[in-house]
Amino acid sequence: QVQLVESGGGLVQAGGSLGLSCAASGNIFGINTMGWYRQAPGKERELVARITSGGTTIYAESVKGRFTISRDNAKNTVYLQMNSLKPEDAAVYYCNALLVSSSKWGEYWGQGTQVTVSS
């Protein structure tokens, strides 16, 4: 069984910074892509940033230059450093991983962590 456990959400003022982390555990043979998505009330879940095992990154246009995704392959952990936060960044942030478990590729999600940005 695979688990993705997020931490680091909370309340921050606009212009502030917050860091998220997500650790994958369980019967994992290898992880390809790890990423962060977010979903605000009344909106669809959207990609925030994604990183491959080789370190290639993709960012949503809205967070480029403000957010940084990184990962520690040895710890099966992905991080998201969020700077210059805006009220529109407020959402539930979900960790995502594409990985091999029990000889099968699968997509897994964390439980989500709330990020609130006050103006």
Side-chain angles (χ1 to χ4, degrees):
Q1 188 173 358
V2 174
Q3 281 190 318
L4 271 60
V5 179
E6 300 129 337
S7 60
L11 172 65
V12 64
Q13 287 188 331
S17 298
L18 206 58
L20 305 180
S21 63
C22 170
S25 63
N27 183 23
I28 299 171
F29 179 76
I31 303 178
N32 184 348
T33 303
M34 300 187 80
W36 292 93
Y37 289 70
R38 67 187 181 187
Q39 187 167 19
K43 295 188 177 182
E44 293 187 354
R45 189 173 298 189
E46 63 175 0
L47 173 69
V48 176
R50 195 166 60 211
I51 184 168
T52 68
S53 57
T56 300
T57 58
I58 293 176
Y59 292 93
E61 285 295 326
S62 60
V63 307
K64 280 184 179 179
R66 300 187 298 121
F67 290 12
T68 302
I69 189 170
S70 61
R71 66 189 276 180
D72 185 332
N73 290 330
K75 296 181 179 179
N76 289 341
T77 299
V78 64
Y79 307 94
L80 185 69
Q81 178 62 39
M82 303 181 291
N83 298 327
S84 302
L85 281 159
K86 303 176 181 180
E88 52 264 42
D89 293 318
V92 177
Y93 283 68
Y94 296 92
C95 177
N96 172 275
L98 180 64
L99 57 84
V100 178
S101 177
S102 300
S103 301
K104 295 180 182 178
W105 280 103
E107 185 176 31
Y108 295 83
W109 294 89
Q111 80 283 359
T113 185
Q114 179 72 50
V115 171
T116 304
V117 184
S118 63
S119 56

